[in-house]
Amino acid sequence: MTNWLPSRESLKSPLHVSLAQTIADAIHDGRLSHGRKLPTHRQLADDLKLSVNTVSKAYDILRRQNLIDGQIGRGSYVMDSATSEEQPFKLESEPENLFDMSISRPLFNRMHVDAMRSTLQTMHTNLDPALYLSTRPNIGHEKHRKTGVKWLAACGLETRAETVLMTNGVTHGLSAALSAVLHPGDVILSDTVTHHLLVSSAAYFGYRHIGLETDEHGILPDQLAKACAEFSPKALYLLPSLANPNVHMMPDERRRQIADIARQHGLYIIENDVFGPVATDRQTPVSQFAPELSIYLTSFTKCAVSGLRAGYVVGPDHLLPALTARLMVFGWMATPLICELASRWVEDGTAQAMADWQRVEIGKRYSIASQELSRFNWKGHPSGLHLWLQLPPDWDSSSFSSHARQLNVAVSPESPFLAPRSTPRNAVRVSLGSIRDTERFRQALRLLASLLSRPREPLPQFAY
């Protein structure tokens, strides 16, 4: 780097971000080649008349992007571009050698990073000031809601902009939907094994949460009808497409049956379709069959980029005032800048391209799991982000998770996903997308397989 230095005059505020971007640009265009040693923090700070802290923060950004690496006593070096393409950045500081398969996260590569940078640069030059100067409308800007109609059509839901509300992801919308149709003490139904945020939300809000038995397609219609007659529920929570955690794809006929039962009993349906248009075999949303009773939720966090917390709520006309009021209480309004970014990706096809890419890459992970776990009982879907791994009789979910952690493999035990008073299922959730490197992913599955292949042993009570 002695032959190349960024210009101090070219740096903008914040200085550490500008410095990191300048060095990254030099790496990408070849001015800084693989293996090139970078100046020490102190040396570069002195050369550019910056603080050491500014340089340290810039180098940290470059390390998270996997553009540079460093070792104590050797300094910092430019990494191989091929490695950078495979792992464009580190999401967080993780314990050494941890195989974290507990986090629900889509895969990503350089495409996602480049798309984000490109869009942000474009927004810098042609962004409507109203998107960052205003705090209304609370339902979201009209152009974002109109674009949402296009994305919702790709999800299989036909609607109009007047019924679309912008949210900061599905969780924001779920809180609004629950409180719009339920009061403390009211009954909400779901699968026995359901999304952990529903379990938590029902407990926090004081709802009576009852889990229903399922088969490989989801909730059984006769069980739903029986529960409606017995408990007089106010709402039904559904995740019928690539359900989290016990992955299934509910067929259209089952969805129609559930919609008919809901209509007979005046039962509100809250449908979480967070995976959007990823699966090629996706079915018609249940909300399409009973729009007058349905609140439909989706976002981009599972099918595009996990940090793109923009989403949509679609509700019937008579619930829109209640939904709007609660979105305000839980977050005032969806962040306009994030909604603008998501809308641009819908309009230019980036969002769909990411969903298509996700389908292919998760399909590869599913194939690897099919090979490595072929001797064991599990279920999943070629487009799903998780596997639901059934354990042998001598294991329980908690102890298996603890034993796996001793092998540096983190999986999710079943307890957060169980509706109250449900019988344990003796299973764990295994994420397919949270380990970026394919060979490390395969290695983690082999460690799980080795654990399943031998008898359970007690863990020591004390660590030495």
Side-chain angles (χ1 to χ4, degrees):
M1 194 161 173
T2 54
N3 297 326
W4 181 88
L5 278 177
S7 166
R8 176 63 175 83
E9 292 73 23
S10 68
L11 300 181
K12 302 175 183 178
S13 183
L15 292 173
H16 68 286
V17 174
S18 182
L19 177 59
Q21 186 59 56
T22 301
I23 297 174
D25 290 342
I27 294 172
H28 290 314
D29 64 23
R31 285 176 289 161
L32 289 174
S33 58
H34 167 225
R36 190 74 167 272
K37 185 175 182 178
L38 303 181
T40 65
H41 296 201
R42 171 63 68 184
Q43 179 185 346
L44 187 58
D46 290 344
D47 289 341
L48 298 180
K49 295 181 172 57
L50 300 171
S51 71
V52 174
N53 185 53
T54 296
V55 175
S56 296
K57 289 166 70 175
Y59 278 19
D60 284 342
I61 292 173
L62 294 168
R63 285 191 181 91
R64 288 197 298 272
Q65 294 175 348
N66 268 9
L67 294 176
I68 69 171
D69 195 9
Q71 299 178 4
I72 296 175
R74 295 187 64 243
S76 299
Y77 293 82
V78 176
M79 288 184 64
D80 185 355
S81 60
T83 302
S84 297
E85 285 298 315
E86 292 177 4
Q87 298 187 22
F89 53 85
K90 295 180 180 178
L91 295 178
E92 64 227 3
S93 176
E94 296 177 343
E96 186 176 1
N97 297 324
L98 175 65
F99 299 95
D100 192 350
M101 310 183 87
S102 66
I103 304 299
S104 175
R105 180 186 296 146
L107 287 162
F108 59 86
N109 70 356
R110 175 63 57 185
M111 170 187 71
H112 300 79
V113 179
D114 290 345
M116 182 66 74
R117 288 175 176 166
S118 175
T119 303
L120 290 174
Q121 289 171 355
T122 302
M123 289 171 65
H124 172 70
T125 61
N126 63 7
L127 187 66
D128 182 353
L131 295 176
Y132 53 84
L133 293 176
S134 66
T135 60
R136 286 182 172 81
N138 301 102
I139 59 175
H141 288 270
E142 183 179 11
K143 70 172 186 175
H144 296 160
R145 292 184 289 115
K146 286 183 176 179
T147 299
V149 172
K150 299 180 181 180
W151 184 252
L152 291 163
C155 296
L157 187 74
E158 300 299 326
T159 189
R160 63 189 197 284
E162 291 77 13
T163 66
V164 178
L165 308 178
M166 304 302 301
T167 70
N168 288 323
V170 162
T171 303
H172 186 200
L174 175 61
S175 297
L178 291 171
S179 57
V181 299
L182 293 166
H183 294 93
D186 286 344
V187 174
I188 182 168
L189 306 175
S190 75
D191 296 31
T192 296
V193 181
T194 187
H195 196 282
H196 63 96
L197 287 179
L198 173 67
V199 178
S200 300
S201 296
Y204 297 156
F205 288 135
Y207 308 139
R208 186 182 175 195
H209 180 193
I210 296 175
L212 303 180
E213 290 303 320
T214 63
D215 62 10
E216 70 274 17
H217 299 309
I219 286 177
L220 296 162
D222 61 337
Q223 293 297 309
L224 175 59
K226 180 180 177 181
C228 286
E230 183 176 353
F231 301 112
S232 300
K234 293 291 183 65
L236 168 67
Y237 176 85
L238 291 175
L239 215 167
S241 299
L242 306 181
N244 177 11
N246 55 340
V247 189
H248 59 247
M249 179 68 74
M250 185 182 290
D252 260 359
E253 180 56 32
R254 176 76 58 88
R255 296 174 188 235
R256 290 180 185 275
Q257 292 173 343
I258 287 175
D260 288 342
I261 294 169
R263 189 175 285 114
Q264 294 168 20
H265 293 272
L267 182 68
Y268 281 111
I269 297 169
I270 300 174
E271 181 176 9
N272 182 344
D273 195 17
V274 70
F275 295 101
V278 172
T280 54
D281 64 341
R282 64 171 291 108
Q283 308 291 295
T284 305
V286 178
S287 300
Q288 192 71 44
F289 300 127
E292 76 281 8
L293 290 170
S294 298
I295 302 173
Y296 177 89
L297 313 169
T298 192
S299 79
F300 298 91
T301 57
K302 302 302 184 189
C303 60
V305 174
S306 55
L308 187 59
R309 302 206 65 81
Y312 308 105
V313 169
V314 180
D317 291 338
H318 69 277
L319 282 182
L320 294 179
L323 288 168
T324 302
R326 284 151 180 83
L327 287 175
M328 291 172 61
V329 168
F330 293 118
W332 188 253
M333 68 181 301
T335 307
L337 287 174
I338 299 300
C339 294
E340 173 70 11
L341 197 155
S343 296
R344 292 188 181 207
W345 280 4
V346 172
E347 294 287 0
D348 67 14
T350 298
Q352 185 62 58
M354 288 183 176
D356 293 340
W357 179 88
Q358 190 71 215
R359 180 190 310 118
V360 173
E361 294 304 313
I362 286 295
K364 295 176 183 177
R365 295 295 180 93
Y366 181 86
S367 296
I368 293 173
S370 298
Q371 299 166 11
E372 301 299 336
L373 300 177
S374 60
R375 295 180 290 118
F376 307 104
N377 182 15
W378 60 272
K379 60 180 178 179
H381 186 283
S383 301
L385 284 180
H386 317 102
L387 301 178
W388 189 237
L389 178 61
Q390 193 70 43
L391 303 175
D394 57 333
W395 285 102
D396 63 79
S397 175
S398 178
S399 63
F400 183 83
S401 300
S402 298
H403 279 73
R405 196 64 175 77
Q406 296 297 308
L407 300 176
N408 281 335
V409 182
V411 296
S412 297
E414 66 183 356
S415 54
F417 306 104
L418 292 178
R421 297 172 296 280
S422 297
T423 303
R425 292 310 196 254
N426 206 34
V428 295
R429 190 189 73 176
V430 179
S431 172
L432 301 185
S434 54
I435 298 176
R436 299 187 300 278
D437 181 75
T438 301
E439 287 310 309
R440 292 192 79 244
F441 172 75
R442 188 186 294 274
Q443 185 179 355
L445 291 178
R446 288 177 176 174
L447 288 170
L448 292 180
S450 69
L451 186 58
L452 288 167
S453 299
R454 59 178 186 263
R456 173 184 173 182
E457 296 181 359
L459 286 175
Q461 296 300 309
F462 301 99
Y464 293 96

